[in-house]
Amino acid sequence: LVTLSTNTFTLHHIETPSSLRLVLITDNSVKKNLRPQLWYIYANIYVTYVVKSYTYKPSEGAVVIPKDSQFKEKETIQCKT
C-alpha cells in the first residue's frame, strides 16, 4: 500500500526496513505523492530524535526530548509498535 484515496481523504504510507509504518492523511486536494516527505520525516526526525535518543526505551514506547534540544519545551513522542 502506497496511497489510498477515498471520497474525503488520501492516506500516504511508508514502511521502513524495521517494519515501522508512517502514515500521513491529507484531503483530496493534495495530488502529490508524499512518500518522499514521509521518508524525510523518518530519516531526519524519527531517527535523530527517537532512535538516537539516549532517553528512548523501545519497551516503553516513548521518548522524552530534553529542553536543551532544538525544541523550546520538553516534549514526549508516543511511539506505537
Side-chain angles (χ1 to χ4, degrees):
L1 174 69
V2 175
T3 60
L4 171 70
S5 294
T6 69
N7 291 336
T8 55
F9 68 87
T10 300
L11 182 141
H12 308 268
H13 169 268
I14 64 167
E15 185 169 358
T16 68
S18 62
S19 298
L20 177 73
R21 293 179 180 165
L22 279 82
V23 176
L24 180 64
I25 299 173
T26 63
D27 63 34
N28 286 335
S29 66
V30 177
K31 301 295 183 193
K32 183 177 177 182
N33 178 3
L34 296 179
R35 292 187 79 219
Q37 286 79 1
L38 285 171
W39 280 111
Y40 178 86
I41 291 168
Y42 169 72
N44 296 289
I45 298 172
Y46 180 80
V47 170
T48 301
Y49 292 103
V50 177
V51 175
K52 293 181 180 179
S53 172
Y54 63 89
T55 63
Y56 176 57
K57 296 178 183 159
S59 60
E60 294 179 8
V63 63
V64 175
I65 300 172
K67 285 188 177 185
D68 62 347
S69 70
Q70 75 178 27
F71 295 101
K72 293 182 180 171
E73 296 182 14
K74 184 169 95 171
E75 296 185 24
T76 300
I77 299 173
Q78 293 297 325
C79 306
K80 296 185 178 186
T81 56

